[in-house]
Amino acid sequence: MSLNLQDIPRVEHLTKSEFLKDYFKPQRPVVIERCIEDWPAYTKWNLDFMKAAAADITVPLYDDRPVDYKEGFNQPHAKMKMNAYVDLLKSKPTKYRIFLWNILKEVPELQNDFSYPDFGLRFMKGLPMLFFGGMNSHTFMHYDIDLANIFHFHFEGKKECILFDQKQNEYLYKIPHSLITREDIDFSNPDFDKWPALKKAKGWVCELHHGEVLYMPEGYWHYMHYITPGFSMSLRALARNPGNLSKAVYNVFVMRLLDNTMRRIQGQKWIDWKNEQAIVRTHKKMVNP
């Protein structure tokens, strides 16, 4: 048995009006296959190019270890020079990933290699973020703190992307006061005996290749599995739905403060309680829907 996932629709090109009508307004994901062929990045950007462009820059690295109460929000697990990291990616499988790396801040000249597509949304132009991963590395299932509209541009290699909308929260073993599900769930091959609620979740899936763009609507859960070494860039546009905007404000100014405070007060007990509650609350909803 596998997750109940439907293929994300694919189009070669998409006009602004088509995007707004068919995908943004109904908040449906889509893969655009030939959106960036006029970008210099389309032909230039690969792992070797990034190795040369950011050779001696120290980059933050993350792996799939469980959240620890001593770690701050998005605190990296290790650091490495970019040239050494690319060598590692190309030499063997590694769980180390680069997460939320701002290229404008580190290598400003790279902003000349891409542009902001006109899809009728206002992009946050100071926040183009890069994400790198080695073969078989993956992120936890999560959604972004600001519930933004995300355009995920993939470069080199193959990446599996699994998405769920916020209506699926009650089936995903969401950790209270956080943006993630249980970290011990393998969404590529879930154990339904251990996580039975996942049988009811309805989601989306695609495999991204070089030059393809995935649109992830506001607040969508996403799990990224690097089938081969590669990297992607995300451009973000603010949530438009008033409910999502209010959730984003709550996440940034209340939820994150509460979580950090409880980590300091209760330490690992807080993390353990949240992990337990993810199971208790999910299975309670299954019994009393």
Side-chain angles (χ1 to χ4, degrees), residues 51 219 287:
K51 175 182 175 179
V287 175

PDB file of all heavy atoms in Angstrom, residues 51 219 287:
ATOM      1  N   LYS A  51      29.900  25.325  -7.477  1.00  0.00           N
ATOM      2  CA  LYS A  51      31.163  25.066  -6.776  1.00  0.00           C
ATOM      3  C   LYS A  51      32.159  26.175  -7.056  1.00  0.00           C
ATOM      4  O   LYS A  51      32.853  26.662  -6.148  1.00  0.00           O
ATOM      5  CB  LYS A  51      31.736  23.711  -7.217  1.00  0.00           C
ATOM      6  CG  LYS A  51      33.108  23.400  -6.652  1.00  0.00           C
ATOM      7  CD  LYS A  51      33.621  22.065  -7.187  1.00  0.00           C
ATOM      8  CE  LYS A  51      35.054  21.809  -6.720  1.00  0.00           C
ATOM      9  NZ  LYS A  51      35.570  20.508  -7.220  1.00  0.00           N
ATOM     10  N   GLY A 219       0.773  27.665   2.167  1.00  0.00           N
ATOM     11  CA  GLY A 219       0.707  26.771   3.308  1.00  0.00           C
ATOM     12  C   GLY A 219       0.776  25.295   2.993  1.00  0.00           C
ATOM     13  O   GLY A 219       0.552  24.465   3.881  1.00  0.00           O
ATOM     14  N   VAL A 287     -10.842   8.300  15.832  1.00  0.00           N
ATOM     15  CA  VAL A 287     -11.906   7.653  16.581  1.00  0.00           C
ATOM     16  C   VAL A 287     -13.132   8.566  16.665  1.00  0.00           C
ATOM     17  O   VAL A 287     -14.278   8.127  16.575  1.00  0.00           O
ATOM     18  CB  VAL A 287     -11.413   7.284  18.003  1.00  0.00           C
ATOM     19  CG1 VAL A 287     -12.559   6.712  18.834  1.00  0.00           C
ATOM     20  CG2 VAL A 287     -10.265   6.297  17.908  1.00  0.00           C
TER      21      VAL A 287
END
